[in-house]
Amino acid sequence: MTRWNRALRGALLTSALALVSAAQAQTANTLTISSPQDPGSWDPIDTFLVNWSAVANNVFDGLVARTPDLKIIPALATEWTISDDGLNYRFTLREGVTFHNGEPFNADAVKFSFERLLGAEGDKGPQKSNYNVIQSVNVIDAKTVELKLSRPDPVLLTKLTGYGAMIVPPAYIAEKGDDYFNTHPVGTGPFSMTSYTARDAVQLKAYEGFWGDKPKLENVTFRFITEPSTALAELQSGRVDMVIPPSVPIGSLPTIEADPKLEIVSTAGATVYSLRFNTRDGITADPKVRKALVMAVDRATINEAILAGQAKPIASFQSEQTFGNDPTLEAIPFDTAGAQKLLDEAGVKPGTTLQIDVRGNDSTFNEVAQAVASYLSTVGITATIKPYETNVLLNDIIPAGRTGAMWQQTWGAWTFDYDNTAYLMYHKGERWNPYGDDPKLDALLESQRGMTNAQEREKVLHEIARYVADQALEMPLYNLNQIYAINKRVKNFIAPPDSRLRLTDVTVE
């Protein structure tokens, strides 16, 4: 009996050690990432969210892709030609590619994806206006497809690297339907989505049939952790390996840097922050008042005191990396006396109130908003700050024109071209322009979209930025670095400047 017990204990110990070894192996091949937002739908045409792309850039592919150093490279297309007049884009497609469900990728899938984007289904989402220059999609043969444009679009190739231009499986969507596809997406990327629990997590698994270099990770988990303090605690405990922007509060950097297991990876990016104005209602309908509110705030001091060297001030709603940025454009200066004078001229009485809407889980911006409110109080304006759950603010409040006098606008400008910002922010009828109706501005925005001469187009973009500044449509604040907090066991991670993660080469020890 004693020998039997010893044998049993030995067998149990061996089994236990095997389980531990298996668990360790699984952990070593699994990356867990904290993301601040559940996009709610994984359909490429339903979204504009950077946090969507952080996940879905690993699930879907476009005809072309963009590297972290912003070079456009082949993806589902191996090569392409553009006609001299800029109206025809012909793509040679990669052969032997399959979607995660085994469905073949071919020219018909490309045609289906773009016609879906530009059709009734695309009308439901925010991406269609980025691609509506595409007049038709013609299948030349199984591995050749041509996009015919109604006018040249100098940014189209960059747009084809992300979001709405991702290629989706026709037969799968026809069988399952759009609603099912929203939560059970299928692409051609290096990882397939094996499960999605709303507001909780997404599980990805390396796709064995991926057309490119196979992922070194077996599994990736994205946990949706809205509170930055909770995300940091999970990182410190080892339950997550990475916290992605914007969930790394500036105030937490010293804590992270003091932890020997952790490190900060920061890179310049396109993400800019502003407070937009309700130009239709209340005191902010008056451009003189808007200009006064901008003048009342010492934005340089906010950048220095709150943002710890991780941001740069901006004069227009774009980073200095963006095509169309005008380095000679000077920001409206901080001038308390001048601001007070304009408010008096506009008849704004001391004690006048206004509301600033913010994303409740963005602790750094909440500090910024508090500082803005404090500066506004020096010119007699009482500002209250109203936090919203991010999806509510972005999907319900702003597009419906139900904001306060000012609201937080954070923009990734993923094309690194001012058009992608300016058209969506200022053109009549766009999702992010619930109040504006300015024919002069609309004409400027439309005119540059068809220009093939880069210098002439840049001049118009500069003119747009100056006009927006003159009308004080927003309070430009800063361009924030992309800040990632990671466990040092994560290797080969290159921080993308647009937060669009591609995890093929990443490993964990």
Side-chain angles (χ1 to χ4, degrees), residues 151 419 422-430 433 435-450 460 463-464 467-468 471 473:
R151 56 171 172 73
D419 166 78
Y423 198 94
L424 300 179
M425 297 294 148
Y426 314 128
H427 195 282
K428 180 182 178 181
E430 288 295 324
N433 183 31
Y435 306 115
D437 182 0
D438 187 328
K440 178 180 179 180
L441 186 52
D442 285 356
L444 284 170
L445 290 165
E446 289 159 6
S447 70
Q448 57 83 31
R449 282 200 148 185
V460 177
E463 185 178 355
I464 291 168
Y467 185 84
V468 169
Q471 295 294 307
L473 299 183

Side-chain angles (χ1 to χ4, degrees), residues 315-316 318 320 324-332 462-463 465-466:
S316 63
Q318 57 184 315
E320 61 185 27
N325 183 61
D326 183 356
T328 68
L329 180 64
E330 296 183 359
I332 296 174
H462 288 178
E463 185 178 355
R466 288 192 297 271

Side-chain angles (χ1 to χ4, degrees), residues 96-161:
V97 177
T98 60
F99 290 96
H100 300 149
N101 65 332
E103 185 177 336
F105 161 76
N106 51 31
D108 289 333
V110 176
K111 181 178 177 67
F112 171 83
S113 298
F114 282 102
E115 289 184 346
R116 180 172 179 265
L117 165 66
L118 298 169
E121 191 63 27
D123 286 337
K124 302 173 186 176
Q127 283 294 335
K128 184 174 181 176
S129 65
N130 274 328
Y131 303 93
N132 58 14
V133 68
I134 299 173
Q135 190 173 53
S136 64
V137 184
N138 300 320
V139 173
I140 308 303
D141 55 45
K143 66 173 187 175
T144 312
V145 69
E146 185 176 68
L147 306 183
K148 285 189 172 292
L149 277 56
S150 59
R151 56 171 172 73
D153 181 348
V155 197
L156 181 63
L157 201 60
T158 300
K159 293 175 184 175
L160 295 180
T161 68

